[in-house]
Amino acid sequence: MEHPSGPVGLEAAEPRAERRPSGTRRVGGIVKPRLTYSRELEIKTTLQELLIYIIFLTDLCILTFGMVNTDMYYLNKVMSNLFLETSVSEADRTSFKTIGSMVDFWKFAEGPLLDGLYWDTWYNNKTLTSHKNSSHVYYENLLLGVAQIRQLKVRNNTCAIYPYFRTFLKECYREYRYLAEDKSDFGLKNGSVWTYSSASSLAPWHWGAMGLYSGGGFMFTLPKSRSESIRKLAFLRNNGWLTRGTRVVFIDFSMYNANINLFCVVRLVVEFPATGGALPSSQFYSVKLLRYVTYYDYFLASCEVIFCLFIFAFIIQEILKVKKLKTEYFKSAWNWLDMLLVSLSIFAIAFNMYRTVEVSLLMESLLSNAYVYPDFYFLAYWQTRYNNMIAINVFFAWIKIFKFISFNKTMTQLSSTLSRCAKDIIGFAIMFFIIFFAYAQLGYLVFGSQVDEFSTFQNCIFTQFRIVLGDFNFASIEQANRILGPIYFITFVFFVFFVLLNMFLAIINDTYSEVKADFAVVPSKEFEISDLIRQSYNKALVKLRLKKSKMEDLYSAGGSLQSMKTKGHSASKIDDALKLSRRSSVDEKGYLKSPQLQKWKEKLHQKYHSAENKELAVDPPDQVSPQEFQQLFRYATELEKRLNEVNAKLSRVLKGMPDLKGSPDKKQR
C-alpha cells in the first residue's frame, strides 16, 4: 500500500534525497508545516496575549464580585418580610400581598406601612431619644428623608361603549395608556396632592403587570412624625384621593445601613386594572452607592484603575486592527466580540463616574433638607441595570478564552462539530418551532382564560419549555378542558419530547462521531502550539541537567561505535550492533509493543492470507468494507510513521559517525 505522502521504503531513510516543500517537516510519514521562526513567534505572541488576558479577566472578576455580597440578599429578605408579610392585626389578616381592593390599600397604608416606617420605641415600649427626628427601621436602617406616595389616573370616556349600554353607563375608564392619562386637577384642588406633577426627563418608567407607567403623577410625602402621617392619610382617604380613574399607586422610600454600607431602595406598587380589584407588586434594591469606605474598597479602586488601563490598551489595539484589516476586520466573530466587550466596558466606566457624582449631589441635598423625598430609586434602578450589564460583560469575557485555546484538540472537535452540523440544526429548528408555536397557540386559545400559565402567549411558550423539562401542572390543564387538555398534553410530550428532542441529540451525536473519525484518520495540523510547549519543556529539563540533549545522545552512540572500530571489529558486527541498537530503541519506546498495533496486526493476519495461501485459495477474496479500509489505512499510517522515525534516527546516528566503509588495512592504520 502506498500512502499519499510517499512510499514506504529505503528512500524514506535518506532525508537528503527526499524532496518536499521548504518550511515543512515529516512526522510519522505525514508532511507537516515546520515550526519556523515566524510560526514560533506567532504562537509565543498568542501565549503572551492569553497570559495578559487572564490578568485582565482576574481583575474584572475581582471588580464584579466586589460589587455584590450576601448581605444584599439578607437585607432584601428582611425588608420584604417587614413590608409584605405584616398584617393589619391578628383579627384582620390583610397584608400588602393580599391587597385586593382600594379598601385594603388604605388599611395597609394606615397600618403595616406606617408601622414599618416609624420605629420610635424600643421593644419594651421605651422611647428612643437617640433617634430624635429620624427613624431607624429595625433600629439599624436609617430612613432617608421621607416616603413618597404617587398615583397615575386615566380620563373619563376614554373607552368606547356599545350603543345598547350607553343609557346605563355614563362613565368609562380604560386601561392605562400614556395618551389617556388624566393630568387635570381634581378633588379639593388646593395643593400639590391634587395637582399633577411632571417627572424629570431621566426618570425611568415602571413596567408593571398591566402596563408601562410614566414617572409623573399626583404625589405627596409623608411627614416625619407617625401621628401626622396617620392624620394625613385619613384626610386623603376621606376626601377621595383614590378615584375610579386611578390605575396605579407607587410608595417609594429609601434606607441606609451603615453597618454594611448598603442602600435599600424600596418601591411598593398597587395596580388597579380596568377589570376591578388590585394587583400588588414590589421591588427591593440593595445597592452599594458609596464605593470607597473601607481598605478593601480602596483596593477595588486600584483594580478599577487597572481595568481602565486595560480598556484603553484594548481600544488602541482594536483601532490598529481596523486600520490594518479594514473591511476584513468585521468578518470575524471574535472581532465583534472584542468590540462588544470594549463598548460595555466604556459604558460601565462612564456610569461609574456619573454614579459617584450623582450620589454626592443627592447626599448634599438630603443633608440640607431632611423633609424631602430623595430620589435614590433612579440611581438604584440604573445601578441594577449596570450590574446586569457587567454580568453580561463577564460572561462574554470568559467566552473569549476559547479564542486563545482553540489549538486544543477537544476544543477543535467541538467547534468542528458545531460548524458541521449548523445547517442540520437550522433545518431542525425550523421544523421544531413550527410545531412548538402551533402548540403554544393551541394552549393559549384553549386554556388562556382559566390557567395562569397560559394567560398570555409569552407564558405559553415558557410553560411549554417547562413541560419539556418535566415541570408542569397537569391537573390545571385537565380542569380547564377535560377533552382537549389531556390530548394537548399527551401529543405535545410525544412529538416534542420523545421525537424532536431525540432527533436533535441524534444530529449532534452523529456529527461528533464523524468529526472524531476524521481526526483519527487524518491528524489535524492545528496543534503546533503543543510542539512549542514540548520544546520549551525539554529545553528547561536540559538546562536543569534533568535530561540529556539530542546531541549528547548522538555523541554517546557515536562513541560506542567508535570504540568498536578501534577494537578491530568487522563491518558486519558493527551493522549488527546498529540493528540491535535500532531494535532496542524501538522496543524502549514501545512502538511495536503497542496494544493497538498488536490488535491491528492480529486482525490483519486473520483477514488476509499470505501470497502462497492466496494462490491455493479456491474461493475469491471477500470485499473490503469501509470500516476495514479505515483500519488498514490507520495501520499503514502508523506503521509508516514508526518506520520513518526509526530510519530517521538511524540516519542521524550514521551522520555522527566517521567513515566505516574503508578497507581493513586502513582500519589497522
Side-chain angles (χ1 to χ4, degrees), residues 429-537:
I430 295 174
M431 177 181 63
F432 175 82
F433 282 109
I434 288 175
I435 299 176
F436 192 83
F437 285 122
Y439 272 100
Q441 292 181 3
L442 175 63
Y444 175 63
L445 296 175
V446 176
F447 315 115
S449 60
Q450 301 184 41
V451 183
D452 179 59
E453 288 82 0
F454 294 87
S455 57
T456 63
F457 187 72
Q458 294 85 351
N459 289 347
C460 291
I461 295 175
F462 290 114
T463 301
Q464 290 186 162
F465 279 116
R466 290 171 54 190
I467 292 176
V468 172
L469 297 176
D471 181 15
F472 56 87
N473 187 1
F474 177 74
S476 61
I477 299 175
E478 185 181 21
Q479 185 178 2
N481 195 310
R482 292 185 178 181
I483 299 176
L484 294 179
I487 294 175
Y488 162 84
F489 180 78
I490 293 174
T491 56
F492 176 79
V493 171
F494 176 77
F495 285 110
V496 176
F497 184 77
F498 289 106
V499 178
L500 295 180
L501 189 60
N502 285 282
M503 285 180 60
F504 174 74
L505 297 177
I507 291 173
I508 296 180
N509 288 334
D510 292 345
T511 308
Y512 179 72
S513 300
E514 294 176 2
V515 171
K516 198 170 183 180
D518 292 345
F519 273 76
V521 174
V522 182
S524 177
K525 299 180 181 180
E526 299 179 358
F527 308 138
E528 289 89 353
I529 195 166
S530 61
D531 298 338
L532 178 63
I533 296 175
R534 191 181 300 108
Q535 290 178 9
S536 302
Y537 175 73

Side-chain angles (χ1 to χ4, degrees), residues 140-386:
E140 302 293 344
N141 304 277
L142 173 64
L143 179 65
L144 301 176
V146 294
Q148 175 183 271
I149 300 179
R150 174 172 62 96
Q151 73 158 320
L152 291 174
K153 301 171 55 180
V154 294
R155 298 188 303 272
N156 187 16
N157 298 324
T158 52
C159 52
I161 303 176
Y162 198 73
Y164 291 166
F165 294 95
R166 288 176 182 174
T167 57
F168 303 99
L169 302 174
K170 302 298 182 182
E171 297 178 344
C172 180
Y173 299 88
R174 63 167 298 169
E175 66 274 7
Y176 178 82
R177 294 291 184 274
Y178 180 73
L179 297 178
E181 187 175 337
D182 187 4
K183 300 181 180 180
S184 59
D185 299 346
F186 75 105
L188 301 180
K189 302 181 181 181
N190 58 355
S192 60
V193 180
W194 312 97
T195 305
Y196 185 86
S197 300
S198 300
S200 62
S201 59
L202 298 178
W205 287 32
H206 180 82
W207 189 5
M210 302 301 297
L212 187 64
Y213 304 100
S214 66
F218 302 89
M219 60 188 70
F220 67 92
T221 58
L222 294 177
K224 279 283 189 179
S225 171
R226 174 189 175 90
S227 57
E228 293 180 4
S229 298
I230 293 176
R231 287 194 295 269
K232 188 169 187 177
L233 289 175
F235 173 78
L236 295 175
R237 173 171 52 83
N238 294 330
N239 287 276
W241 189 67
L242 296 181
T243 65
R244 284 187 58 190
T246 301
R247 287 292 170 260
V248 64
V249 177
F250 300 96
I251 303 174
D252 297 297
F253 54 92
S254 305
M255 295 165 288
Y256 174 69
N257 191 312
N259 302 331
I260 53 179
N261 188 27
L262 287 179
F263 287 82
C264 185
V265 182
V266 182
R267 168 166 284 186
L268 305 178
V269 184
V270 181
E271 298 177 72
F272 298 97
T275 58
L279 299 175
S281 60
S282 59
Q283 291 179 345
F284 292 86
Y285 295 134
S286 291
V287 292
K288 187 176 181 180
L289 298 178
L290 300 176
R291 299 300 301 272
Y292 312 114
V293 177
T294 63
Y295 290 110
Y296 180 71
D297 294 336
Y298 287 105
F299 168 72
L300 292 179
S302 62
C303 293
E304 290 176 353
V305 174
I306 297 174
F307 176 78
C308 294
L309 295 177
F310 270 112
I311 297 303
F312 181 74
F314 290 158
I315 292 174
I316 297 177
Q317 184 180 14
E318 297 305 316
I319 292 175
L320 294 177
K321 282 185 180 180
V322 172
K323 289 184 177 180
K324 181 179 180 181
L325 301 177
K326 301 186 185 303
T327 57
E328 295 294 329
Y329 174 85
F330 301 97
K331 296 181 180 180
S332 173
W334 293 116
N335 293 335
W336 283 98
L337 181 60
D338 292 338
M339 288 192 296
L340 177 63
L341 292 176
V342 171
S343 302
L344 292 177
S345 301
I346 293 174
F347 183 79
I349 295 172
F351 178 80
N352 203 8
M353 298 172 61
Y354 170 78
R355 185 262 319 279
T356 303
V357 175
E358 190 67 20
V359 169
S360 61
L361 295 177
L362 274 175
M363 296 306 296
E364 290 179 2
S365 62
L366 179 63
L367 294 175
S368 61
N369 187 1
Y371 293 90
V372 297
Y373 165 71
D375 190 10
F376 282 96
Y377 179 81
F378 170 76
L379 286 177
Y381 175 85
W382 288 109
Q383 177 68 32
T384 305
R385 301 302 179 271
Y386 167 78

Side-chain angles (χ1 to χ4, degrees), residues 76-77 79-88 93-101 104-105 108 112 268-270 278-282 284:
N76 286 339
K77 183 179 179 180
M79 292 303 162
S80 61
N81 290 336
L82 175 62
F83 291 101
L84 304 183
E85 305 289 345
T86 305
S87 58
V88 175
R93 307 303 298 175
T94 301
S95 63
F96 180 80
K97 286 187 175 181
T98 61
I99 291 177
S101 63
D104 294 340
F105 170 79
F108 167 78
L268 305 178
V269 184
V270 181
L279 299 175
S281 60
S282 59
F284 292 86

Side-chain angles (χ1 to χ4, degrees), residues 60 135 138 182 427 543:
L60 180 60
S135 175
Y138 274 123
D182 187 4
K543 290 182 179 179

